[in-house]
Amino acid sequence: MRSLWATRTAAVILTATAMIPLGTQAAQAAPARAEHVQSSVSVRAIDYVAVVKAAYAAYQAYAASQALTLEQATQQILSAIDSAKSEILSHIDQVATADARACARQAVIDFADITRFTTDTLQAFARDTTGCVTRIESLLSAVTDKAAADQLGFAVNAVGPISLVARARAGFETAGLKGTLVNTHNTIVAKLDPVCVTVTVREPGPVRPIVEEQVTCTAYNGNYGWDARRVSPAPAGPPIDVNGLKAIAAAGTSWAAAKAVLPTLQS
């Protein structure tokens, strides 16, 4: 059992450092007791989350407020996807279902030429990418393996903004697709939500026993975030940021990207 007292004495900062997804409030909140927070996640760059969030934000800036023209939104999404194309394709290549893997890979590759499409090609591309999103949504609803759900999540994270801007350029409505993406990302969050366990630990103290509350949140892949606080003697420590621990545990999974883009999709 981990000990808050031992953690402080050893001056442990992090067992490993994770870059937390941009745009996730819980993950970005830096608790005052951050020196206690532990994570099993290896050091990694998860620019993927920022890329996906930027792509959806660009489309929303066009659709919701006209802050961007359709051409500007297209260029920003192109730039975002291109900046992490290798990582995106690497995730897509791990999708177990062949047709979902193929349609997602094709969407990312073909998207680079969207400004050169004829009207007929653009309309076909818009329909194909929409079909890819709905296919992945159906698979996500049925799949029980969390690793498979994670890779499907990465695939739909990438195809979603591509399909939205393709439909807009083709003159198609996007409300139905947007609603499908909201449902799909909510499914990702629900299926991959880290499991949190709280335990109470009593230890000998210099005057009276020290009572600690310890919370461990574990993602499906075994990565975890952990924190603890003193309950007594008074004064008790501030409440543990459970959502922040979930973000630490799930960093590097499609859960992080889904959490980051849902507020944009729902705005």
Side-chain angles (χ1 to χ4, degrees):
M1 190 69 67
R2 302 179 186 91
S3 163
L4 178 58
W5 180 264
T7 300
R8 284 174 174 162
T9 303
V12 174
I13 298 176
L14 290 173
T15 57
T17 301
M19 292 178 64
I20 306 304
L22 296 176
T24 306
Q25 272 190 334
Q28 289 176 335
R33 61 191 181 285
E35 68 271 14
H36 313 153
V37 178
Q38 298 185 43
S39 165
S40 64
V41 183
S42 301
V43 177
R44 67 182 72 186
I46 51 172
D47 293 342
Y48 179 90
V49 175
V51 165
V52 173
K53 187 183 176 188
Y56 279 106
Y59 172 77
Q60 194 65 4
Y62 154 72
S65 64
Q66 303 296 306
L68 295 177
T69 66
L70 183 53
E71 284 302 322
Q72 288 171 330
T74 301
Q75 288 303 319
Q76 288 194 18
I77 297 170
L78 279 165
S79 296
I81 298 295
D82 190 59
S83 71
K85 185 176 287 186
S86 295
E87 184 174 2
I88 290 169
L89 291 174
S90 176
H91 281 301
I92 289 172
D93 286 344
Q94 296 177 55
V95 173
T97 308
D99 59 344
R101 182 173 65 249
C103 74
R105 173 171 266 276
Q106 181 179 355
V108 172
I109 292 172
D110 283 349
F111 183 55
D113 296 314
I114 192 169
T115 58
R116 301 183 183 90
F117 288 171
T118 64
T119 299
D120 288 347
T121 302
L122 177 60
Q123 291 178 347
F125 180 68
R127 288 193 296 270
D128 287 346
T129 54
T130 302
C132 190
V133 170
T134 57
R135 193 171 306 126
I136 293 172
E137 178 197 30
S138 178
L139 289 167
L140 268 167
S141 297
V143 73
T144 56
D145 181 76
K146 291 184 183 295
D150 192 16
Q151 297 310 325
L152 286 168
F154 279 118
V156 79
N157 287 156
V159 180
I162 291 173
S163 187
L164 284 168
V165 77
R167 290 186 67 87
R169 291 179 71 91
F172 296 163
E173 67 87 25
T174 59
L177 173 60
K178 195 173 177 184
T180 299
L181 287 167
V182 169
N183 292 337
T184 303
H185 283 77
N186 277 322
T187 299
I188 296 167
V189 170
K191 282 186 178 288
L192 301 182
D193 199 36
V195 176
C196 297
V197 176
T198 302
V199 297
T200 301
V201 178
R202 289 174 174 79
E203 297 182 346
V207 177
R208 61 182 118 169
I210 297 174
V211 181
E212 298 173 357
E213 177 187 60
Q214 301 181 356
V215 180
T216 303
C217 294
T218 307
Y220 83 91
N221 56 9
N223 291 336
Y224 66 84
W226 174 85
D227 198 1
R229 71 178 185 119
R230 186 173 68 183
V231 176
S232 67
I240 292 172
D241 179 10
V242 175
N243 287 329
L245 295 183
K246 285 186 176 184
I248 289 171
T253 71
S254 59
W255 181 95
K259 287 285 283 187
V261 304
L262 266 171
T264 300
L265 281 169
Q266 293 170 324
S267 63

